[in-house]
Amino acid sequence: MRFNRFFRASAGLAGVAGLFFLTTNHATAQEGPDDLFNRGVALLQDGQYPGAEEAFSTMIERFERDAERLFGPRFGTVYFHRGVALEGQRRFQEAADDFEVSATRFANRAGDRRINPYATMSLLHVGGALMRIENPDYELVLEVFQRFQRQVEDDPPDAANIAYNRATLLANIAISEARAQRPRNAAQTFRRLMSDPGGFCRETRSNFQKTQQTVHAAASEIVESFQVNDIPDAGLEFVDEFRPALTEDRAISYFYTPRYLEAASNAAREGYYAFALSIYSILPTSQQVLDGLALNRARLEAFPHADGRPREMANVLDRIEQRVIEDMESGTPVDAWVLDGVARVFFLNGNQQAAYGTYRTLIDMFPNSQLRPQMLYFAAATASTTGRLAATQQYGERFLEEYPDHELRDRVEELLLESLFWNARYEEALAVGKDVRERATQDDMFELSDFVIGGSLYFLGRFPEAERELRAFREKWPDSERTEPARYYLADNLARLNRFVEAGAMLDSFLNDYPNSELLDLALYSRANVHYNQEELNPAVTRLGQFLSQRPNSEIRDQALNLLGNINDSLGNTETAEQNYRDALAFARRLGNRSTAAQSLIFLMGLLSEDEERDEEVVELAEEFFRDHPNDLNRARAAVVPLDAMDRLGRIDEGLARIESLIPTFGEDLEAAGMEDLILAYVKHAEAGGLSMEELRERLYNFPRVPESAVALRARLMMALIDFYEQRINEEDDEATVARMEGEIRGVFGQLRREFPIESLSNYILVRVGDYLVRYEEFAAAREYFDRAIESPDTEFQDRATFNLGFLLLLSESREDNRRAFGYFDRIMEDFRFDRLLVEETFRMRALGHEMLEEWDRVESVWREYLRYEGGAFRRYQTEAFYKIGLSFDRRGQWEAAMDNYAQVWVLDPGNLLFSAPAWFRMAEINFHERGHKQNAYENLWDMVRRAAGGIGHLEAEEQRILDNPDQYADRLNRRLMADRLQRNYIAHAKRELEVWERDPGVTAKSDEP
Amino acid sequence: MKKFAIFATTCLLALAGAGNVAAQSAPSGDEEMERGIQAPPSVRAIIRAEVDGSVQTLLGIFLFKVEDGEIIYADNPESFNAERLPVAAIQNVAVELPEVIENALSAYRARQFDDALPLLNRVVRRYEPLRDLDFLPIRQAEIYRFDCMRRMGEFDQLRDELAVLEREEFTSSEQAVLSVFPAWEAHAAEDWPRVRVITRDPDSVPPGPAAAEMAFLRGEALRHLAERESSERAEMLNDALAEYHRAMTMDYTFSRDLVGDAAIAALRIYDADERVAEYFRRWGTPDFSETAGYVIPVREAAWLAYMIETMDLDGRELPEDLQRFSGLFARFADDLEEAARGEQEDEATAAQAPELAGAEDDIEDLNAGDEGGGDDEPEDE
């Protein structure tokens, strides 16, 4: 294009110049100035710029010294043409220098008729060339253009040769102003360009031909300049003002799309969002470009020359078409870039919906785009934030499948994991979390997967596993951002494991550390619940008070009200409790918390069923429950609670029918709340409902609509049969019937062991089968059942299983096992501290354990603690306690202390000969052997034997109890420990001892037998 | 076939002087009508085509119609000689758009729909015989005409005309645009199930104004239908939000009125969102948490309100009943700065530099080509 322009300009010039030079008398022999000049021009016309340059340079070399004299200003044409030749070689600085020489050194002057026809036009060319050098000085360029404009206005001698396109000059000035960081000036110049009336202007000697190229070349620079100069508002106004012009032609502007895109992208990055959007809004889509090309091709400017040569405009259109097609074929056309940019603006402004919608389209429309990984990532991310779980998974998984090694892989996995977890898809979160943890290489992925695994286990109710994971998480990632939820999960998890002491402490510390936690309501509720379970009713009320005042709109307010009802019920405030439950019910219904509403109904039923006068209401509530919540998890309890009221109202058959219809609905649901109660209640009320024992047995074995495959349920029903037989054995006098029932029990237990996989059994059954195995001394097998119970998500009977495991470890021959037993007892002492009965038994078991290990100081301390327990001293085993404390001193050779404690045994319960007899005996022995009170010792022992023989006390009964109750594990252990002191051994032993002592010189023997 | 000599230099220069706008000497369609000339409407053109095995240039001819794949033309607008030229033989063409077409398109682009519609009616009616020529914007004028009807609420006419429209005569991109009008008509009738059916596949329309309109209409359908179908209400409203947002992005926010309408409609969904209510309820109380879930929709709504208030959306303003969202955006300013910083620092997800083929060199060339000499006029032949 430059060539064409020069060609036309120099073609005109050649005639003039040739004529000029020919008139001089300085033609050389070799090649005169005209020859040289004409040769240069001809070479320029052929596009042979180096040759042309050489011709003009030769001319300058040969004539420059006398140029002023010989040619005057006209010699400037030589510099002008050499400038053009240099421009053709892209040597813009040298070209600008030559144009400058033509414009200044060879400027026209008054009186000199040897006119340089290009003196003024040279200035325009200086500006043009300076714009194209590396790192142009745009202030200088602008200065040059101003000189040009001033010179034109001065009507110079070369005015006849001044011809230029005003639109182009204005565009170049605007571009230079923009690049000189004066965007407002540039915009003003652009405004002149756009408002120019067009046509030839006599004053400026310019025509006006504004093309889309001119418009966009300037506009794109100006837009960019506004952004660079941090004046986005002015930029926004600029785009808004010229939007119609900038969007008029959708084809040519495509050339300038990269610059616009970059400006928009930078504006977005700088936070100039409205400006960024306004820039994006003027860009064409690929289809618009293609449509626009067809119309542009029908413009005259694109029509070929007469000889068929294409015009520059046609070339431009071809190039645009080629590029838009290339861009489309590349998979990332302009549409993808712009949509990505627009979506990102919305995304950066927290508007995830837009980003989601846009990325969804991008993914569908540009499957081969280089941006696809980012598209999939953002689609998944925004789908997640906008609550579209399926889409999150879909895009996330597609990413992982298509880009398994992409650098964003971790992010996507993180996203999927978080999304699954926070959307309560815990089973999947757990599976993915484990998978991620196996493959993770980065700490943050380890951390996240640890958290999700622990949290998911917690939400899935797999509390023992959850505890391990959450504890590990806390230890491994003490500074994690997820510490807060993890601490809450762990604390509440412990509460659900009934380890209330530890849970309570953790919750207290959580509440202390996070007084404004998002989880505050949950933590307060959990803490209140723990207090309630520890029978600390007043602190529970305090925590619930905090809950209701600090989180009045909590989504678990209904649950808190239910708990408050329970507490008030425990405190005997039945009216308040009823109101609490009714409030909870109303609130739950308003929030749509169906399960809590169902729970409120059950609590209400329970409360009202204590008052026989309200039986009708209870039954109505039950009907309401089964109408509104027929599939509620607690439906079993809801069926059981009103049974007594129904019985009293003579409607027990309805209750039983309901249970019969309910039982099969549980299928294999091991966690079904109240299942045991349901079956037990069924059995309990069966007779009242008219079932004979045989019928009940048959019914439990083959329960209606319970298929063979429902193993967990069948196991429960069989267990109910055992319970039923055991209860009847206690009431039955007929030995044959008892024997038959005992046989049945053994048969059912055997069947439970053989036919039911251990994992299908509930904790109740596991503990019962374990106990059964202990009775028959199958200790190893029993341990399996107890182990399974404490690992099970079922929290029922875990206390018992824990206790029994401790016991079994004490029975082991291995010292290591024996010591491990104390771990289980410690857990009971902590987690089940509220259960005094269990704690008391555990004290005894611990003391026995230490006794077995002959750790006498421990024996003493445990029993002492037992006698002074902070929650209220225990009494049940105090005789044994004093005896064992005495024994501990005895074994350590501390005779006086031993004597004191043995004496206490006699003071407290002399009739409890299991302990009082050996205490008496040891007192005598110590007196005899250690203290030398031989006569006294002899008489005491004699007296004791006499009394025992006379049947004083209840030694035999005590001994019998121990032997008859193999399920009383402490007694069982004691029997082992006390074997040598049991009555039958002991009397014989004492008699033998008396015979020995009678022969001692220090003893005066009695004449008669004791 | 009449042989054309290259004789019309003056004619060419006259055309050249006016660019692709009306030449001084060429009568426009309107002028023809005003003069009461009964000649059929034509478009003046220069065509370069292969005729009888050689390439010829047909200068200053008048195109009358396209029939059976051939252009029927003459060298005189008033004397219709049945010269024919296969369209496929055309290599290049330059046309001089009649003023009526220029005016009609200009009025439409200036959003003066009242003025544009009668002009477009005339264009479509007069130049119907030439509508198959891709280099003439006749079909485009027809589409603009439908759009004017839609914007002026003339849905009865729109429906009637669309019913008999031969869609296969349009290109696929034009058909995509046409497919939106029935949805607008159903939208005007508030027949939401129909709008939903028509817009069921919004992703089938490539990015551009039609895609934006399609998304907006689908959003409208989903929003209104959600009120009737309580079981899927939340999901439908969420989908409606996504569609409204797509309407704001699918044509890069080019359709400013649509962006404004979609933003206001989306704000209405946010306004009724319980989470948004919870945000306002908790704001300023100790209960408030900046990281709670209810902040997410409020941030989205705040941006839309900000957009309406700061951008020129064809006169759309934040409605009175949605004023609680006004200025809300400022509350998230810190977050935004942080997000922007994060975005900058985050190489993996940071906006990538576009890699379109349009390059600086070409821009330079174009600049350079324009620069200086006032030499863009066509050469003398």
Side-chain angles (χ1 to χ4, degrees):
Chain A
M1 205 155 170
R2 287 196 58 75
F3 165 76
N4 287 339
R5 186 176 58 253
F6 168 72
F7 166 78
R8 287 189 296 277
S10 55
L13 172 68
V16 177
L19 183 64
F20 165 73
F21 286 118
L22 283 172
T23 57
T24 65
N25 298 316
H26 294 276
T28 64
Q30 320 123 309
E31 202 174 17
D34 283 339
D35 297 332
L36 275 171
F37 187 78
N38 287 337
R39 181 158 67 87
V41 168
L43 288 166
L44 269 186
Q45 286 174 336
D46 287 348
Q48 296 181 35
Y49 301 116
E53 181 202 345
E54 186 272 328
F56 296 124
S57 293
T58 305
M59 212 174 154
I60 289 168
E61 203 178 301
R62 282 174 53 193
F63 299 108
E64 192 183 20
R65 192 178 304 166
D66 295 326
E68 189 60 37
R69 182 175 58 80
L70 293 174
F71 308 112
R74 191 166 296 181
F75 197 73
T77 54
V78 182
Y79 277 95
F80 176 81
H81 280 80
R82 190 172 71 169
V84 174
L86 289 165
E87 241 183 350
Q89 298 173 73
R90 306 183 73 81
R91 288 156 64 186
F92 299 112
Q93 182 62 62
E94 293 165 74
D97 292 344
D98 274 3
F99 292 133
E100 183 67 41
V101 171
S102 166
T104 51
R105 256 183 67 196
F106 297 100
N108 292 309
R109 45 186 180 251
D112 193 334
R113 300 179 66 185
R114 296 171 296 176
I115 289 172
N116 173 2
Y118 293 102
T120 307
M121 287 303 289
S122 289
L123 276 175
L124 192 63
H125 280 257
V126 173
L130 286 177
M131 281 180 80
R132 303 185 70 192
I133 62 174
E134 206 174 329
N135 302 318
D137 176 352
Y138 286 103
E139 293 294 353
L140 179 63
V141 173
L142 287 167
E143 203 181 298
V144 171
F145 284 141
Q146 278 170 12
R147 276 168 59 202
F148 169 74
Q149 286 173 308
R150 277 198 303 274
Q151 197 158 311
V152 170
E153 283 168 17
D154 289 346
D155 194 20
D158 58 329
N161 274 59
I162 298 173
Y164 62 98
N165 184 347
R166 195 163 66 250
T168 309
L169 175 62
L170 286 171
N172 278 338
I173 292 174
I175 289 169
S176 300
E177 286 170 332
R179 291 188 180 172
Q181 314 308 330
R182 285 152 52 184
R184 287 181 204 278
N185 293 13
Q188 189 53 38
T189 306
F190 189 81
R191 204 165 281 119
R192 281 170 57 203
L193 170 70
M194 300 306 285
S195 61
D196 193 295
F200 180 76
C201 171
R202 199 166 295 281
E203 284 175 17
T204 56
R205 309 193 68 80
S206 61
N207 65 8
F208 187 86
Q209 197 157 32
K210 181 179 70 186
T211 65
Q212 284 293 318
Q213 287 148 281
T214 323
V215 169
H216 283 285
S220 59
E221 293 279 357
I222 296 169
V223 164
E224 193 173 38
S225 173
F226 278 120
Q227 194 274 314
V228 170
N229 287 281
D230 286 347
I231 38 177
D233 290 347
L236 189 60
E237 277 174 30
F238 175 81
V239 176
D240 282 343
E241 180 181 350
F242 296 107
R243 182 184 308 281
L246 297 176
T247 55
E248 184 185 328
D249 185 298
R250 312 298 267 164
I252 303 294
S253 64
Y254 191 69
F255 255 125
Y256 303 90
T257 297
R259 187 182 291 154
Y260 283 125
L261 268 180
E262 196 171 347
S265 167
N266 289 337
R269 202 171 295 153
E270 292 298 322
Y272 307 146
Y273 300 117
F275 184 38
L277 284 184
S278 76
I279 301 172
Y280 284 129
S281 75
I282 60 173
L283 296 177
T285 66
S286 297
Q287 188 58 50
Q288 285 170 335
V289 175
L290 292 175
D291 292 345
L293 283 171
L295 297 177
N296 268 288
R297 285 219 164 86
R299 293 158 67 112
L300 194 62
E301 295 96 313
F303 199 78
H305 293 277
D307 59 4
R309 277 184 299 117
R311 275 182 206 274
E312 185 57 28
M313 177 68 168
N315 289 336
V316 168
L317 296 175
D318 285 347
R319 274 187 288 165
I320 290 174
E321 181 171 32
Q322 186 189 348
R323 281 180 185 178
V324 75
I325 289 170
E326 273 173 16
D327 288 338
M328 288 169 83
E329 286 174 353
S330 78
T332 315
V334 63
D335 317 69
W337 289 109
V338 179
L339 282 176
D340 179 69
V342 174
R344 216 171 278 254
V345 169
F346 278 80
F347 182 80
L348 282 173
N349 284 284
N351 196 313
Q352 315 275 334
Q353 288 281 0
Y356 169 71
T358 312
Y359 281 113
R360 194 187 78 193
T361 301
L362 282 166
I363 288 165
D364 286 349
M365 292 206 162
F366 308 108
N368 302 316
S369 168
Q370 66 186 93
L371 297 175
R372 187 169 169 84
Q374 282 82 2
M375 289 173 186
L376 286 169
Y377 168 73
F378 276 111
T382 52
S384 167
T385 323
T386 56
R388 294 175 168 88
L389 186 58
T392 310
Q393 297 304 311
Q394 181 197 337
Y395 293 125
E397 280 162 13
R398 221 188 282 177
F399 178 99
L400 296 178
E401 194 184 315
E402 292 178 26
Y403 305 101
D405 302 318
H406 195 275
E407 58 185 351
L408 285 174
R409 183 191 171 93
D410 277 1
R411 301 267 193 97
V412 174
E413 286 189 325
E414 188 177 338
L415 189 68
L416 282 180
L417 253 188
E418 295 240 31
S419 157
L420 286 171
F421 182 74
W422 295 116
N423 285 286
R425 298 258 295 264
Y426 301 117
E427 291 281 6
E428 288 160 89
L430 184 61
V432 177
K434 285 179 174 171
D435 186 40
V436 168
R437 185 156 70 180
E438 264 184 28
R439 287 182 294 97
T441 51
Q442 306 281 331
D443 265 5
D444 51 354
M445 290 307 291
F446 275 122
E447 186 207 316
L448 174 67
S449 51
D450 284 350
F451 173 78
V452 168
I453 290 169
S456 298
L457 287 167
Y458 159 74
F459 282 112
L460 288 168
R462 291 164 63 174
F463 301 122
E465 295 163 83
E467 184 197 346
R468 278 197 298 276
E469 289 289 343
L470 289 167
R471 277 192 196 283
F473 177 86
R474 293 276 293 115
E475 273 175 30
K476 199 167 162 194
W477 312 106
D479 302 321
S480 165
E481 286 181 358
R482 300 179 178 90
T483 294
E484 185 181 333
R487 280 180 62 178
Y488 166 72
Y489 297 158
L490 179 57
D492 192 60
N493 190 77
L494 290 170
R496 284 161 198 269
L497 284 167
N498 296 336
R499 286 157 58 187
F500 297 118
V501 175
E502 196 182 354
M506 274 195 189
L507 286 165
D508 282 338
S509 124
F510 178 91
L511 289 166
N512 191 48
D513 293 346
Y514 306 105
N516 298 312
S517 171
E518 270 292 295
L519 304 168
L520 183 67
D521 52 347
L522 294 171
L524 283 168
Y525 172 78
S526 185
R527 185 66 188 97
N529 202 23
V530 167
H531 279 308
Y532 173 68
N533 278 289
Q534 291 176 292
E535 295 177 19
E536 297 164 357
L537 301 183
N538 288 330
V541 171
T542 305
R543 286 301 193 184
L544 284 177
Q546 289 171 346
F547 176 103
L548 295 171
S549 64
Q550 292 178 34
R551 290 287 184 269
N553 299 312
S554 165
E555 286 182 3
I556 59 160
R557 184 187 171 92
D558 45 2
Q559 291 182 48
L561 286 167
N562 271 342
L563 179 57
L564 194 59
N566 292 346
I567 295 168
N568 276 315
D569 185 19
S570 302
L571 290 168
N573 306 327
T574 47
E575 279 181 24
T576 318
E578 184 179 343
Q579 191 53 50
N580 293 148
Y581 294 141
R582 290 195 187 281
D583 288 347
L585 182 61
F587 200 79
R589 282 181 171 158
R590 196 160 77 232
L591 289 178
N593 292 345
R594 294 177 54 76
S595 66
T596 314
Q599 211 165 30
S600 303
L601 284 169
I602 295 172
F603 288 144
L604 267 176
M605 278 189 255
L607 187 73
L608 301 190
S609 62
E610 288 165 17
D611 181 354
E612 289 186 15
E613 287 181 10
R614 302 182 77 173
D615 282 346
E616 293 280 359
E617 283 180 67
V618 172
V619 176
E620 276 170 26
L621 286 169
E623 279 164 6
E624 188 179 338
F625 181 97
F626 284 100
R627 187 188 61 231
D628 296 345
H629 310 280
N631 301 314
D632 187 79
L633 272 180
N634 289 305
R635 59 191 182 280
R637 274 190 199 125
V640 170
V641 174
L643 280 180
D644 285 338
M646 294 177 103
D647 203 358
R648 287 193 290 268
L649 292 170
R651 295 170 64 179
I652 189 67
D653 48 340
E654 287 173 42
L656 289 174
R658 179 177 286 149
I659 294 178
E660 277 185 13
S661 68
L662 268 184
I663 285 176
T665 67
F666 287 99
E668 291 300 276
D669 186 3
L670 271 173
E671 294 172 48
M675 183 63 162
E676 308 289 357
D677 292 343
L678 188 72
I679 296 171
L680 290 175
Y682 182 80
V683 173
K684 179 184 159 194
H685 290 272
E687 278 191 313
L691 279 184
S692 69
M693 195 170 90
E694 284 305 314
E695 283 170 334
L696 180 64
R697 176 183 180 280
E698 185 52 30
R699 180 69 54 87
L700 292 173
Y701 253 106
N702 299 299
F703 208 85
R705 294 190 294 121
V706 172
E708 191 79 2
S709 57
V711 281
L713 182 54
R714 283 178 44 234
R716 279 182 169 93
L717 291 166
M718 288 169 70
M719 201 64 231
L721 188 60
I722 292 173
D723 292 335
F724 171 72
Y725 282 138
E726 283 182 348
Q727 192 192 341
R728 292 301 297 266
I729 283 171
N730 290 337
E731 297 162 4
E732 185 60 58
D733 294 331
D734 178 35
E735 284 184 12
T737 308
V738 168
R740 189 169 58 79
M741 287 194 285
E742 282 177 341
E744 288 276 359
I745 290 174
R746 280 194 298 278
V748 178
F749 269 125
Q751 205 172 343
L752 280 171
R753 284 188 65 199
R754 283 191 311 274
E755 296 179 12
F756 292 86
I758 196 166
E759 58 276 8
S760 70
L761 302 177
S762 71
N763 274 5
Y764 174 66
I765 300 174
L766 289 169
V767 170
R768 290 293 309 273
V769 175
D771 283 343
Y772 169 80
L773 291 169
V774 170
R775 179 183 291 180
Y776 292 96
E777 305 206 339
E778 292 190 43
F779 299 130
R783 262 172 73 174
E784 265 184 59
Y785 282 82
F786 296 138
D787 272 333
R788 169 65 196 168
I790 62 168
E791 289 293 335
S792 157
D794 180 1
T795 54
E796 300 290 312
F797 294 94
Q798 290 211 337
D799 49 354
R800 181 78 183 270
T802 308
F803 183 87
N804 291 358
L805 273 172
F807 161 74
L808 287 179
L809 287 168
L810 283 184
L811 283 187
S812 165
E813 297 298 322
S814 150
R815 281 280 161 138
E816 195 185 333
D817 275 354
N818 298 155
R819 290 195 193 288
R820 276 176 50 215
F822 293 104
Y824 289 96
F825 298 137
D826 289 347
R827 216 164 117 182
I828 291 171
M829 298 298 288
E830 266 198 16
D831 299 340
F832 304 100
R833 196 165 57 174
F834 57 93
D835 184 346
R836 278 183 62 83
L837 206 63
L838 182 62
V839 169
E840 187 165 21
E841 289 297 335
T842 306
F843 263 115
R844 190 174 182 214
M845 195 63 94
R846 283 169 65 205
L848 290 171
H850 291 303
E851 185 181 338
M852 211 178 73
L853 294 169
E854 299 187 339
E855 295 170 347
W856 298 110
D857 49 347
R858 292 279 175 83
V859 173
E860 179 201 344
S861 65
V862 171
W863 279 119
R864 279 197 191 284
E865 195 187 344
Y866 172 87
L867 291 170
R868 297 175 196 150
Y869 187 57
E870 55 180 14
F874 291 114
R875 291 281 175 272
R876 193 155 151 228
Y877 301 116
Q878 63 176 343
T879 312
E880 181 179 351
F882 280 111
Y883 171 73
K884 293 292 171 72
I885 292 171
L887 183 65
S888 77
F889 285 120
D890 192 353
R891 293 298 171 94
R892 286 176 287 173
Q894 298 177 34
W895 315 121
E896 296 307 319
M899 292 290 281
D900 287 349
N901 283 285
Y902 286 147
Q904 277 292 329
V905 177
W906 272 93
V907 171
L908 281 170
D909 189 3
N912 185 351
L913 292 183
L914 179 66
F915 301 108
S916 63
W920 195 343
F921 179 59
R922 272 305 292 159
M923 282 166 71
E925 280 189 319
I926 291 167
N927 264 336
F928 189 92
H929 294 296
E930 312 300 342
R931 299 167 94 194
H933 302 162
K934 293 187 175 177
Q935 186 58 35
N936 181 266
Y938 169 77
E939 284 176 9
N940 276 339
L941 190 59
W942 190 90
D943 191 38
M944 190 205 79
V945 172
R946 181 180 61 81
R947 287 191 192 201
I952 295 173
H954 38 256
L955 179 63
E956 283 185 24
E958 217 23 51
E959 203 174 303
Q960 194 60 47
R961 187 179 67 77
I962 292 172
L963 293 170
D964 286 350
N965 288 287
D967 294 341
Q968 289 295 317
Y969 290 171
D971 284 347
R972 199 180 173 114
L973 199 65
N974 230 351
R975 184 176 58 172
R976 184 190 274 197
L977 293 168
M978 302 281 289
D980 60 338
R981 281 171 287 239
L982 292 178
Q983 183 189 28
R984 63 199 65 168
N985 301 323
Y986 166 74
I987 299 296
H989 181 66
K991 280 182 177 170
R992 280 198 301 278
E993 194 75 347
L994 280 173
E995 283 171 15
V996 174
W997 287 0
E998 280 172 357
R999 291 195 290 276
D1000 191 286
V1003 172
T1004 307
K1006 288 182 179 285
S1007 55
D1008 50 351
E1009 290 289 315
Chain B
M1 169 68 66
K2 181 179 176 181
K3 302 290 177 193
F4 275 83
I6 302 179
F7 66 90
T9 306
T10 49
C11 171
L12 254 181
L13 283 174
L15 278 169
N20 68 333
V21 189
Q24 304 287 328
S25 58
S28 71
D30 269 359
E31 285 165 354
E32 283 177 290
M33 288 190 72
E34 281 158 19
R35 289 206 307 266
I37 295 170
Q38 294 306 306
S42 59
V43 172
R44 196 173 185 189
I46 307 171
I47 286 181
R48 188 176 150 79
E50 192 175 320
V51 180
D52 296 339
S54 66
V55 176
Q56 296 188 18
T57 302
L58 311 180
L59 293 168
I61 61 170
F62 294 85
L63 312 180
F64 292 101
K65 65 191 284 191
V66 177
E67 198 175 76
D68 300 331
E70 291 184 326
I71 288 181
I72 297 174
Y73 68 92
D75 57 359
N76 182 338
E78 294 178 20
S79 67
F80 177 65
N81 294 321
E83 295 290 345
R84 286 173 173 264
L85 176 69
V87 174
I90 296 176
Q91 291 183 350
N92 303 97
V93 64
V95 295
E96 173 194 319
L97 280 187
E99 204 173 308
V100 66
I101 298 183
E102 289 283 1
N103 292 344
L105 298 183
S106 298
Y108 174 81
R109 286 183 185 129
R111 308 180 63 76
Q112 294 159 354
F113 304 115
D114 288 356
D115 297 339
L117 184 57
L119 292 173
L120 290 164
N121 283 340
R122 200 182 302 169
V123 168
V124 170
R125 202 167 50 240
R126 284 178 66 78
Y127 298 99
E128 197 279 335
L130 292 169
R131 69 203 291 268
D132 285 348
L133 296 176
D134 287 343
F135 51 82
L136 287 178
I138 310 302
R139 293 197 307 272
Q140 198 175 64
E142 196 164 2
I143 291 171
Y144 287 172
R145 190 170 151 266
F146 291 137
D147 194 41
C148 286
M149 287 183 208
R150 169 305 252 188
R151 289 172 184 276
M152 293 164 67
E154 294 179 5
F155 287 104
D156 288 345
Q157 193 187 346
L158 179 63
R159 187 178 47 245
D160 292 348
E161 296 207 16
L162 287 173
V164 295
L165 189 71
E166 303 264 353
R167 279 158 209 263
E168 56 275 18
E169 292 175 0
F170 290 83
T171 64
S172 60
S173 65
E174 288 165 346
Q175 285 186 30
V177 179
L178 284 172
S179 68
V180 188
F181 291 114
W184 278 117
E185 191 266 310
H187 179 264
E190 299 190 357
D191 184 349
W192 306 119
R194 193 150 67 90
V195 177
R196 188 186 190 183
V197 170
I198 299 171
T199 60
R200 67 185 171 278
D201 193 9
D203 287 341
S204 64
V205 185
E213 289 180 31
M214 196 69 112
F216 173 76
L217 290 163
R218 187 164 181 77
E220 290 277 275
L222 290 170
R223 177 164 70 100
H224 287 93
L225 288 171
E227 302 307 324
R228 302 181 194 169
E229 299 190 23
S230 58
S231 62
E232 294 172 35
R233 186 171 178 276
E235 197 180 332
M236 286 172 80
L237 286 177
N238 208 21
D239 287 345
L241 275 180
E243 293 302 338
Y244 282 133
H245 282 91
R246 274 164 37 80
M248 293 177 230
T249 55
M250 277 301 110
D251 67 349
Y252 322 159
T253 72
F254 172 77
S255 308
R256 311 300 266 187
D257 52 345
L258 198 75
V259 172
D261 290 342
I264 290 169
L267 272 178
R268 296 211 180 284
I269 295 179
Y270 288 119
D271 194 44
D273 190 328
E274 179 51 38
R275 290 171 302 164
V276 174
E278 190 179 3
Y279 174 94
F280 283 107
R281 211 165 43 237
R282 290 184 183 231
W283 173 257
T285 72
D287 255 5
F288 182 80
S289 163
E290 285 177 1
T291 53
Y294 49 72
V295 177
I296 293 173
V298 175
R299 279 185 63 140
E300 294 179 352
W303 159 249
L304 295 184
Y306 174 78
M307 216 168 66
I308 295 167
E309 289 183 319
T310 55
M311 286 169 63
D312 176 12
L313 298 180
D314 205 26
R316 272 33 174 206
E317 286 180 356
L318 193 62
E320 205 50 46
D321 59 322
L322 296 175
Q323 283 297 321
R324 67 169 168 166
F325 295 106
S326 175
L328 205 59
F329 190 64
R331 288 187 195 169
F332 303 104
D334 292 345
D335 294 353
L336 287 175
E337 276 176 28
E338 199 171 308
R341 266 201 307 280
E343 181 81 2
Q344 276 175 321
E345 287 160 10
D346 188 348
E347 286 300 322
T349 57
Q352 297 186 18
E355 291 173 12
L356 291 175
E360 284 295 307
D361 270 356
D362 296 297
I363 295 167
E364 285 275 319
D365 285 349
L366 289 171
N367 286 342
D370 262 358
E371 168 206 318
D375 51 352
D376 280 346
E377 72 275 20
E379 296 164 66
D380 287 358
E381 298 290 334

